[in-house]
Amino acid sequence: MQVTGFDDRSGTGYVLSTGTHADEDVPGSRVVHHDGVTIRATEGLAALLEDALAHRPTTQLAWGGPEVPLTLDDATLLAWLRNDVGGVVTVTGEPG
């Protein structure tokens, strides 16, 4: 999966890549590892994700739904981006 977006709070765009896309070395990005899963994200988003994993590791899978553990699987990451970060512009390879 590959997601692009814009974080209004920081005024910067972001890219998050999972699966085979995470293996591509992209300037301005770095990897995040958690529970044996690796993703790649732009620097600001990677820092935000690491902070969330360390200090508030939950998200809602749907608006107003119950909180679930924040993991690096595609469906949970996409929900975190949509419900906690915001600004999702495009999603390629969206989980079914």
Side-chain angles (χ1 to χ4, degrees):
M1 176 178 75
Q2 195 159 45
V3 182
T4 64
F6 188 81
D7 184 350
D8 287 331
R9 295 168 292 190
S10 66
T12 59
Y14 63 79
V15 177
L16 180 135
S17 303
T18 66
T20 57
H21 294 288
D23 296 334
E24 301 170 15
D25 189 14
V26 178
S29 70
R30 64 183 176 88
V31 295
V32 175
H33 305 280
H34 182 71
D35 287 343
V37 179
T38 301
I39 62 101
R40 180 174 294 276
T42 47
E43 183 63 40
L45 186 63
L48 189 64
L49 178 57
E50 288 172 332
D51 183 67
L53 287 167
H55 302 289
R56 192 177 189 304
T58 61
T59 191
Q60 296 175 321
L61 294 180
W63 186 254
E67 289 191 341
V68 298
L70 178 57
T71 64
L72 298 187
D73 72 88
D74 287 358
T76 305
L77 272 175
L78 187 55
W80 177 74
L81 288 170
R82 287 182 169 151
N83 297 317
D84 293 279
V85 177
V88 171
V89 176
T90 64
V91 180
T92 304
E94 183 169 351

Coordinates of all heavy atoms in Angstrom, one line a residue:
M1 N 0.9 -1.2 0.0 CA 0.0 0.0 0.0 C 0.9 1.2 0.0 O 2.0 1.2 0.6 CB -0.9 0.0 1.2 CG -1.8 1.2 1.4 SD -2.8 1.1 2.9 CE -1.7 1.5 4.2
Q2 N 0.5 2.3 -0.7 CA 1.2 3.5 -0.6 C 0.1 4.7 -0.5 O -0.9 4.7 -1.2 CB 2.0 3.8 -1.9 CG 3.0 4.9 -1.8 CD 4.1 4.7 -2.8 OE1 3.8 4.5 -4.0 NE2 5.3 4.9 -2.4
V3 N 0.4 5.5 0.5 CA -0.6 6.6 0.9 C 0.1 7.9 0.8 O 1.3 8.1 1.3 CB -1.1 6.4 2.3 CG1 -2.1 7.5 2.6 CG2 -1.8 5.0 2.5
T4 N -0.5 8.9 0.1 CA 0.0 10.3 0.2 C -1.0 11.1 0.9 O -2.2 10.8 0.9 CB 0.3 10.8 -1.3 OG1 -1.0 10.9 -1.9 CG2 1.3 10.0 -2.0
G5 N -0.5 12.2 1.5 CA -1.4 13.1 2.2 C -0.7 14.4 2.6 O 0.4 14.6 2.2
F6 N -1.5 15.2 3.3 CA -1.0 16.5 3.7 C -1.4 16.7 5.1 O -2.6 16.7 5.4 CB -1.5 17.6 2.8 CG -0.9 19.0 3.1 CD1 0.3 19.3 2.6 CD2 -1.5 19.9 3.9 CE1 0.9 20.5 2.8 CE2 -0.9 21.1 4.2 CZ 0.3 21.4 3.6
D7 N -0.5 17.0 6.0 CA -0.7 17.2 7.4 C -0.9 18.7 7.6 O 0.1 19.5 7.6 CB 0.4 16.6 8.3 CG 0.1 16.8 9.8 OD1 -0.9 17.5 10.2 OD2 0.8 16.2 10.6
D8 N -2.1 19.2 7.9 CA -2.3 20.7 8.1 C -1.6 21.2 9.3 O -1.2 22.4 9.3 CB -3.8 21.0 8.2 CG -4.5 20.8 6.9 OD1 -3.9 21.0 5.8 OD2 -5.7 20.5 6.9
R9 N -1.4 20.4 10.3 CA -0.8 20.9 11.5 C 0.7 21.3 11.3 O 1.1 22.2 11.8 CB -0.9 19.8 12.6 CG -2.4 19.6 13.1 CD -2.4 18.4 13.9 NE -2.2 17.2 13.1 CZ -2.3 16.0 13.5 NH1 -2.8 15.7 14.6 NH2 -2.1 15.0 12.6
S10 N 1.4 20.4 10.5 CA 2.8 20.7 10.3 C 3.0 21.4 8.9 O 4.1 22.0 8.7 CB 3.6 19.4 10.3 OG 3.2 18.6 9.2
G11 N 2.0 21.5 8.1 CA 2.1 22.1 6.8 C 3.0 21.4 5.8 O 3.6 22.0 5.0
T12 N 3.0 20.0 6.0 CA 3.9 19.2 5.1 C 3.1 18.1 4.5 O 2.2 17.6 5.1 CB 5.1 18.7 5.9 OG1 4.6 17.9 7.0 CG2 6.0 19.8 6.4
G13 N 3.6 17.7 3.4 CA 3.0 16.5 2.8 C 3.7 15.2 3.3 O 4.7 15.3 4.0
Y14 N 3.0 14.1 3.2 CA 3.6 12.8 3.6 C 3.4 11.7 2.7 O 2.4 11.8 1.8 CB 3.1 12.5 5.0 CG 1.6 12.2 5.2 CD1 1.1 11.0 4.8 CD2 0.8 13.2 5.7 CE1 -0.3 10.8 4.9 CE2 -0.6 12.9 5.8 CZ -1.1 11.7 5.4 OH -2.5 11.5 5.6
V15 N 4.2 10.7 2.8 CA 4.0 9.5 2.0 C 4.3 8.3 3.0 O 5.3 8.4 3.8 CB 5.0 9.4 0.8 CG1 4.9 8.0 0.1 CG2 4.9 10.5 -0.1
L16 N 3.5 7.3 3.0 CA 3.6 6.1 3.8 C 3.6 4.9 2.9 O 2.6 4.8 2.0 CB 2.5 6.0 4.9 CG 2.6 4.8 5.8 CD1 2.4 5.2 7.2 CD2 1.7 3.7 5.4
S17 N 4.5 4.0 3.0 CA 4.6 2.9 2.1 C 4.7 1.6 2.9 O 5.5 1.6 3.9 CB 5.8 3.0 1.2 OG 5.8 4.1 0.4
T18 N 4.0 0.6 2.5 CA 4.1 -0.7 3.2 C 4.4 -1.8 2.1 O 4.4 -1.5 0.9 CB 2.7 -1.1 3.9 OG1 1.7 -1.2 2.9 CG2 2.3 0.0 4.9
G19 N 4.6 -3.0 2.6 CA 4.8 -4.1 1.7 C 6.1 -3.9 0.9 O 7.1 -3.4 1.4
T20 N 6.0 -4.2 -0.4 CA 7.2 -4.1 -1.3 C 7.6 -2.6 -1.5 O 8.7 -2.3 -1.7 CB 6.9 -4.7 -2.7 OG1 5.8 -4.2 -3.3 CG2 6.8 -6.2 -2.5
H21 N 6.6 -1.7 -1.4 CA 6.9 -0.3 -1.5 C 7.9 0.2 -0.4 O 8.6 1.1 -0.6 CB 5.7 0.6 -1.5 CG 4.8 0.4 -2.7 ND1 5.1 0.8 -3.9 CD2 3.6 -0.3 -2.8 CE1 4.1 0.5 -4.7 NE2 3.2 -0.2 -4.1
A22 N 7.8 -0.4 0.8 CA 8.6 0.0 1.9 C 10.1 -0.4 1.7 O 10.9 0.2 2.4 CB 8.1 -0.7 3.2
D23 N 10.4 -1.3 0.8 CA 11.7 -1.6 0.5 C 12.5 -0.6 -0.4 O 13.7 -0.6 -0.5 CB 11.8 -3.0 -0.3 CG 11.3 -4.1 0.6 OD1 11.3 -4.0 1.8 OD2 10.8 -5.1 0.0
E24 N 11.7 0.3 -1.0 CA 12.3 1.3 -1.9 C 12.9 2.4 -1.1 O 12.2 3.0 -0.2 CB 11.3 1.9 -2.8 CG 10.6 0.8 -3.7 CD 9.4 1.3 -4.5 OE1 9.2 2.6 -4.5 OE2 8.7 0.5 -5.0
D25 N 14.2 2.7 -1.3 CA 14.8 3.8 -0.5 C 14.5 5.1 -1.2 O 14.9 5.4 -2.3 CB 16.4 3.6 -0.5 CG 17.1 4.6 0.4 OD1 16.4 5.2 1.2 OD2 18.3 4.7 0.3
V26 N 13.7 5.9 -0.5 CA 13.2 7.2 -1.0 C 13.8 8.3 -0.2 O 13.7 8.3 1.0 CB 11.6 7.3 -0.9 CG1 11.1 8.6 -1.5 CG2 11.0 6.1 -1.7
P27 N 14.4 9.3 -0.9 CA 15.0 10.4 -0.2 C 14.0 11.1 0.7 O 12.8 11.3 0.3 CB 15.5 11.4 -1.3 CG 15.7 10.5 -2.5 CD 14.6 9.4 -2.4
G28 N 14.4 11.5 1.9 CA 13.5 12.1 2.9 C 12.6 11.2 3.6 O 11.7 11.7 4.3
S29 N 12.8 9.9 3.5 CA 12.0 8.9 4.2 C 12.9 8.0 5.1 O 14.1 8.0 4.9 CB 11.2 8.1 3.3 OG 12.0 7.2 2.5
R30 N 12.2 7.3 6.0 CA 13.0 6.3 6.8 C 12.0 5.2 7.2 O 10.8 5.4 7.0 CB 13.6 7.0 8.0 CG 12.7 7.6 9.0 CD 13.5 8.2 10.1 NE 12.7 8.9 11.1 CZ 12.2 8.3 12.2 NH1 12.3 7.0 12.4 NH2 11.4 9.0 13.0
V31 N 12.6 4.1 7.7 CA 11.8 3.0 8.0 C 11.4 3.1 9.5 O 12.0 3.7 10.3 CB 12.5 1.6 7.7 CG1 12.7 1.5 6.3 CG2 13.8 1.6 8.5
V32 N 10.2 2.5 9.8 CA 9.7 2.3 11.1 C 9.5 0.8 11.3 O 8.8 0.2 10.4 CB 8.4 3.1 11.4 CG1 7.9 2.8 12.8 CG2 8.7 4.6 11.2
H33 N 10.0 0.2 12.4 CA 9.8 -1.2 12.7 C 8.9 -1.3 13.9 O 9.1 -0.6 14.9 CB 11.1 -1.9 13.0 CG 12.1 -1.7 11.9 ND1 12.1 -2.5 10.8 CD2 13.2 -0.9 11.8 CE1 13.2 -2.1 10.0 NE2 13.8 -1.2 10.6
H34 N 8.0 -2.3 13.9 CA 7.2 -2.5 15.1 C 6.6 -3.9 15.0 O 6.0 -4.3 14.0 CB 6.0 -1.5 15.2 CG 5.2 -1.6 16.4 ND1 5.6 -1.4 17.6 CD2 3.9 -2.1 16.5 CE1 4.6 -1.6 18.5 NE2 3.6 -2.0 17.8
D35 N 6.8 -4.7 16.0 CA 6.3 -6.1 16.0 C 6.6 -6.9 14.8 O 5.7 -7.6 14.2 CB 4.8 -6.1 16.3 CG 4.4 -5.8 17.7 OD1 5.3 -5.8 18.6 OD2 3.3 -5.4 18.0
G36 N 7.8 -6.8 14.3 CA 8.2 -7.5 13.1 C 7.8 -7.0 11.8 O 8.0 -7.7 10.7
V37 N 7.1 -5.9 11.7 CA 6.6 -5.3 10.5 C 7.4 -4.0 10.2 O 7.7 -3.2 11.1 CB 5.1 -5.0 10.6 CG1 4.6 -4.4 9.3 CG2 4.3 -6.3 10.9
T38 N 7.7 -3.8 9.0 CA 8.5 -2.6 8.6 C 7.7 -1.8 7.6 O 7.1 -2.3 6.6 CB 9.8 -3.0 7.9 OG1 10.6 -3.7 8.9 CG2 10.6 -1.7 7.5
I39 N 7.6 -0.5 7.8 CA 7.0 0.4 6.8 C 8.0 1.6 6.6 O 9.0 1.7 7.3 CB 5.6 1.0 7.4 CG1 5.8 1.9 8.6 CG2 4.7 -0.1 7.7 CD1 5.8 3.3 8.4
R40 N 7.8 2.3 5.5 CA 8.6 3.5 5.2 C 7.7 4.7 5.2 O 6.6 4.7 4.6 CB 9.3 3.3 3.9 CG 10.2 4.5 3.5 CD 11.0 4.2 2.3 NE 12.0 3.2 2.5 CZ 13.2 3.3 3.0 NH1 13.6 4.5 3.4 NH2 14.0 2.3 3.1
A41 N 8.2 5.8 5.8 CA 7.4 7.0 5.8 C 8.3 8.2 5.7 O 9.5 8.1 6.1 CB 6.5 7.1 7.1
T42 N 7.7 9.4 5.3 CA 8.5 10.6 5.3 C 8.9 10.9 6.8 O 8.2 10.4 7.7 CB 7.7 11.7 4.7 OG1 6.4 11.7 5.2 CG2 7.7 11.6 3.2
E43 N 9.9 11.6 7.0 CA 10.5 11.9 8.3 C 9.5 12.3 9.3 O 9.4 11.8 10.4 CB 11.6 12.9 8.2 CG 12.3 13.1 9.5 CD 13.0 11.9 10.1 OE1 13.6 11.2 9.3 OE2 13.0 11.7 11.3
G44 N 8.7 13.3 9.0 CA 7.7 13.9 10.0 C 6.6 12.8 10.4 O 6.3 12.7 11.5
L45 N 6.1 12.1 9.4 CA 5.1 11.1 9.6 C 5.7 9.9 10.4 O 5.1 9.4 11.3 CB 4.5 10.6 8.3 CG 3.3 9.6 8.5 CD1 2.2 10.3 9.2 CD2 2.9 9.1 7.2
A46 N 7.0 9.5 10.1 CA 7.6 8.5 10.8 C 7.7 8.8 12.3 O 7.5 8.0 13.2 CB 9.0 8.2 10.2
A47 N 8.1 10.1 12.6 CA 8.3 10.5 14.0 C 6.9 10.5 14.7 O 6.8 10.1 15.8 CB 8.9 11.9 14.0
L48 N 5.9 11.0 14.0 CA 4.5 11.0 14.5 C 4.0 9.6 14.8 O 3.4 9.3 15.9 CB 3.6 11.7 13.6 CG 2.1 12.0 14.0 CD1 2.2 13.0 15.2 CD2 1.3 12.5 12.9
L49 N 4.3 8.6 13.9 CA 3.9 7.2 14.1 C 4.7 6.6 15.3 O 4.1 5.9 16.1 CB 4.1 6.4 12.8 CG 3.8 4.9 12.9 CD1 2.4 4.7 13.3 CD2 4.1 4.3 11.5
E50 N 5.9 6.8 15.4 CA 6.7 6.3 16.5 C 6.2 6.8 17.8 O 6.1 6.1 18.8 CB 8.2 6.6 16.3 CG 8.8 5.8 15.2 CD 10.2 6.2 14.9 OE1 10.6 7.4 15.1 OE2 11.0 5.3 14.4
D51 N 5.9 8.1 17.9 CA 5.4 8.7 19.1 C 4.0 8.1 19.4 O 3.8 7.7 20.6 CB 5.2 10.2 18.9 CG 4.7 10.9 20.2 OD1 5.5 10.9 21.2 OD2 3.6 11.4 20.2
A52 N 3.2 7.9 18.5 CA 1.9 7.2 18.7 C 2.0 5.8 19.2 O 1.4 5.4 20.1 CB 1.0 7.3 17.5
L53 N 2.9 5.1 18.6 CA 3.2 3.7 19.0 C 3.7 3.6 20.5 O 3.4 2.7 21.2 CB 4.2 3.0 18.1 CG 3.6 2.6 16.7 CD1 4.7 2.3 15.7 CD2 2.6 1.5 16.8
A54 N 4.5 4.6 20.8 CA 5.1 4.6 22.2 C 4.2 5.2 23.3 O 4.2 4.7 24.4 CB 6.4 5.4 22.2
H55 N 3.3 6.1 22.9 CA 2.5 6.8 23.9 C 1.0 6.7 23.8 O 0.3 6.9 24.8 CB 2.9 8.3 23.9 CG 4.4 8.5 24.2 ND1 5.0 8.3 25.4 CD2 5.4 8.9 23.3 CE1 6.3 8.6 25.3 NE2 6.5 8.9 24.0
R56 N 0.5 6.5 22.7 CA -1.0 6.3 22.5 C -1.2 5.3 21.4 O -1.7 5.7 20.3 CB -1.6 7.6 22.2 CG -3.1 7.6 22.3 CD -3.8 8.9 22.1 NE -5.2 8.9 22.4 CZ -6.2 8.2 21.9 NH1 -5.9 7.2 21.1 NH2 -7.4 8.3 22.2
P57 N -0.9 4.0 21.6 CA -1.0 3.0 20.6 C -2.4 2.5 20.3 O -2.6 1.3 20.3 CB 0.0 2.0 21.1 CG -0.2 2.0 22.6 CD -0.4 3.5 22.9
T58 N -3.3 3.4 20.0 CA -4.6 3.0 19.6 C -5.1 3.9 18.5 O -4.6 5.0 18.3 CB -5.6 3.1 20.8 OG1 -5.7 4.5 21.2 CG2 -5.2 2.2 22.0
T59 N -6.2 3.4 17.8 CA -6.8 4.2 16.8 C -8.2 3.6 16.6 O -8.6 2.5 17.2 CB -6.1 4.1 15.4 OG1 -6.7 5.1 14.5 CG2 -6.2 2.7 14.8
Q60 N -9.1 4.3 15.9 CA -10.4 3.8 15.5 C -10.4 3.3 14.1 O -9.9 4.0 13.2 CB -11.5 4.9 15.7 CG -11.6 5.3 17.2 CD -12.6 6.5 17.3 OE1 -12.6 7.4 16.4 NE2 -13.3 6.5 18.3
L61 N -11.0 2.1 13.8 CA -11.0 1.7 12.5 C -12.0 2.4 11.6 O -11.9 2.5 10.4 CB -11.3 0.2 12.4 CG -10.2 -0.7 13.0 CD1 -10.6 -2.2 12.9 CD2 -8.8 -0.5 12.3
A62 N -13.0 3.0 12.3 CA -14.0 3.8 11.6 C -14.4 4.9 12.5 O -14.2 4.8 13.8 CB -15.3 3.0 11.3
W63 N -14.9 6.0 12.0 CA -15.2 7.2 12.7 C -16.3 6.8 13.8 O -17.3 6.3 13.5 CB -15.8 8.3 11.8 CG -16.0 9.6 12.6 CD1 -17.2 10.1 12.9 CD2 -15.0 10.5 13.1 NE1 -17.1 11.2 13.6 CE2 -15.7 11.5 13.7 CE3 -13.6 10.5 13.0 CZ2 -15.1 12.6 14.3 CZ3 -13.0 11.6 13.6 CH2 -13.7 12.6 14.2
G64 N -16.0 7.1 15.1 CA -16.9 6.8 16.2 C -16.8 5.4 16.6 O -17.6 5.0 17.5
G65 N -16.0 4.5 16.0 CA -15.9 3.1 16.4 C -15.1 2.9 17.6 O -14.4 3.9 18.1
P66 N -15.0 1.7 18.1 CA -14.2 1.5 19.3 C -12.7 1.6 19.0 O -12.3 1.4 17.8 CB -14.5 0.0 19.7 CG -15.0 -0.6 18.4 CD -15.7 0.5 17.6
E67 N -11.9 1.9 20.0 CA -10.4 2.0 19.8 C -9.9 0.5 19.7 O -10.3 -0.4 20.4 CB -9.8 2.8 20.9 CG -10.1 4.2 20.8 CD -9.3 5.1 21.7 OE1 -8.7 4.6 22.7 OE2 -9.2 6.3 21.4
V68 N -8.9 0.4 18.8 CA -8.2 -0.9 18.6 C -6.7 -0.6 18.8 O -6.3 0.5 18.6 CB -8.5 -1.5 17.3 CG1 -10.0 -1.9 17.2 CG2 -8.1 -0.7 16.1
P69 N -5.9 -1.6 19.0 CA -4.4 -1.4 19.1 C -3.9 -0.9 17.8 O -4.3 -1.4 16.7 CB -3.9 -2.8 19.4 CG -5.0 -3.5 20.1 CD -6.3 -3.0 19.4
L70 N -3.0 0.1 17.8 CA -2.3 0.6 16.7 C -1.2 -0.4 16.2 O -0.3 -0.7 17.0 CB -1.7 2.0 16.9 CG -0.9 2.6 15.8 CD1 -1.8 2.8 14.6 CD2 -0.4 4.0 16.3
T71 N -1.4 -1.0 15.1 CA -0.3 -1.9 14.5 C 0.1 -1.3 13.1 O -0.5 -0.4 12.6 CB -0.9 -3.3 14.4 OG1 -2.0 -3.3 13.4 CG2 -1.4 -3.8 15.7
L72 N 1.0 -2.0 12.5 CA 1.5 -1.6 11.2 C 0.9 -2.4 10.1 O 1.4 -2.3 8.9 CB 3.0 -1.7 11.1 CG 3.8 -0.8 12.1 CD1 5.3 -0.8 11.8 CD2 3.3 0.7 12.1
D73 N -0.3 -3.0 10.3 CA -1.0 -3.7 9.2 C -1.7 -2.6 8.4 O -2.0 -1.5 8.9 CB -1.9 -4.8 9.7 CG -3.1 -4.2 10.3 OD1 -4.1 -3.9 9.6 OD2 -3.1 -4.1 11.6
D74 N -1.9 -2.9 7.1 CA -2.4 -1.8 6.2 C -3.7 -1.2 6.6 O -3.9 0.0 6.6 CB -2.6 -2.4 4.8 CG -1.2 -2.6 4.1 OD1 -0.2 -2.3 4.6 OD2 -1.3 -3.1 2.9
A75 N -4.7 -2.0 7.0 CA -6.0 -1.5 7.4 C -5.9 -0.6 8.6 O -6.6 0.5 8.6 CB -7.0 -2.7 7.6
T76 N -5.2 -1.0 9.6 CA -5.0 -0.2 10.8 C -4.3 1.1 10.6 O -4.7 2.2 11.0 CB -4.4 -1.0 11.9 OG1 -5.1 -2.2 12.1 CG2 -4.3 -0.2 13.2
L77 N -3.2 1.0 9.8 CA -2.4 2.2 9.4 C -3.3 3.2 8.7 O -3.2 4.4 8.9 CB -1.2 1.9 8.6 CG 0.0 1.5 9.3 CD1 1.1 1.1 8.3 CD2 0.5 2.7 10.2
L78 N -4.1 2.7 7.7 CA -4.9 3.6 6.9 C -6.0 4.3 7.8 O -6.2 5.5 7.7 CB -5.5 2.8 5.8 CG -6.3 3.7 4.8 CD1 -5.5 4.8 4.2 CD2 -6.9 2.8 3.6
A79 N -6.5 3.5 8.7 CA -7.5 4.1 9.7 C -6.8 5.1 10.5 O -7.4 6.2 10.8 CB -8.1 3.0 10.5
W80 N -5.6 4.9 11.0 CA -4.9 5.9 11.8 C -4.6 7.1 11.0 O -4.9 8.2 11.5 CB -3.6 5.2 12.3 CG -2.7 6.2 13.1 CD1 -2.9 6.6 14.4 CD2 -1.5 6.8 12.6 NE1 -1.9 7.4 14.7 CE2 -1.0 7.6 13.7 CE3 -0.8 6.8 11.4 CZ2 0.2 8.3 13.6 CZ3 0.4 7.5 11.3 CH2 0.8 8.3 12.4
L81 N -4.2 7.0 9.8 CA -4.0 8.2 8.9 C -5.3 8.9 8.7 O -5.3 10.2 8.8 CB -3.4 7.8 7.6 CG -2.0 7.3 7.6 CD1 -1.6 6.7 6.2 CD2 -1.0 8.4 7.9
R82 N -6.4 8.3 8.4 CA -7.6 8.9 8.2 C -8.3 9.6 9.4 O -8.8 10.7 9.4 CB -8.6 8.0 7.5 CG -8.3 7.6 6.1 CD -9.3 6.7 5.5 NE -9.1 6.6 4.0 CZ -9.4 5.6 3.3 NH1 -9.9 4.5 3.9 NH2 -9.2 5.6 2.0
N83 N -8.2 8.9 10.5 CA -8.9 9.3 11.7 C -8.1 10.1 12.7 O -8.6 10.9 13.5 CB -9.5 8.1 12.5 CG -10.6 7.4 11.6 OD1 -11.4 8.0 10.9 ND2 -10.5 6.1 11.6
D84 N -6.8 9.9 12.7 CA -5.9 10.6 13.7 C -5.0 11.7 13.1 O -4.8 12.7 13.7 CB -5.0 9.6 14.5 CG -5.9 8.7 15.4 OD1 -6.2 9.1 16.5 OD2 -6.2 7.6 14.9
V85 N -4.5 11.4 11.9 CA -3.6 12.3 11.2 C -4.3 13.2 10.3 O -4.2 14.4 10.3 CB -2.4 11.6 10.5 CG1 -1.5 12.5 9.7 CG2 -1.6 10.7 11.4
G86 N -5.1 12.6 9.4 CA -5.9 13.4 8.5 C -5.2 13.7 7.2 O -4.0 13.4 7.1
G87 N -5.9 14.3 6.3 CA -5.2 14.8 5.1 C -4.9 13.7 4.0 O -4.1 14.0 3.1
V88 N -5.5 12.5 4.1 CA -5.2 11.5 3.1 C -5.7 12.0 1.7 O -6.8 12.4 1.6 CB -5.9 10.2 3.5 CG1 -5.7 9.2 2.3 CG2 -5.3 9.6 4.7
V89 N -4.8 11.9 0.7 CA -5.1 12.4 -0.6 C -5.3 11.2 -1.6 O -6.3 11.1 -2.3 CB -4.0 13.4 -1.1 CG1 -4.3 13.8 -2.6 CG2 -3.9 14.6 -0.2
T90 N -4.3 10.3 -1.6 CA -4.4 9.1 -2.5 C -4.0 7.9 -1.7 O -3.2 7.9 -0.8 CB -3.5 9.2 -3.7 OG1 -2.1 9.2 -3.3 CG2 -3.8 10.5 -4.5
V91 N -4.6 6.8 -2.1 CA -4.3 5.4 -1.6 C -4.1 4.5 -2.8 O -5.1 4.3 -3.5 CB -5.3 4.9 -0.6 CG1 -4.9 3.5 -0.1 CG2 -5.6 5.9 0.5
T92 N -3.0 3.9 -2.9 CA -2.8 2.8 -3.9 C -2.6 1.5 -3.2 O -1.9 1.4 -2.2 CB -1.5 3.1 -4.7 OG1 -1.6 4.4 -5.2 CG2 -1.3 2.1 -5.8
G93 N -3.4 0.5 -3.6 CA -3.3 -0.8 -3.0 C -4.1 -0.8 -1.7 O -3.7 -1.5 -0.8
E94 N -5.2 -0.1 -1.6 CA -6.0 0.0 -0.4 C -6.5 -1.4 0.0 O -6.9 -2.2 -0.8 CB -7.2 0.9 -0.6 CG -8.0 1.1 0.7 CD -9.1 2.2 0.5 OE1 -9.0 2.9 -0.5 OE2 -9.9 2.3 1.4
P95 N -6.3 -1.7 1.3 CA -6.8 -3.1 1.8 C -8.3 -3.2 1.6 O -9.0 -2.3 1.8 CB -6.4 -3.1 3.3 CG -6.2 -1.7 3.7 CD -5.8 -0.9 2.4
G96 N -8.7 -4.4 1.3 CA -10.1 -4.7 1.0 C -10.9 -4.7 2.3 O -12.0 -4.5 2.4

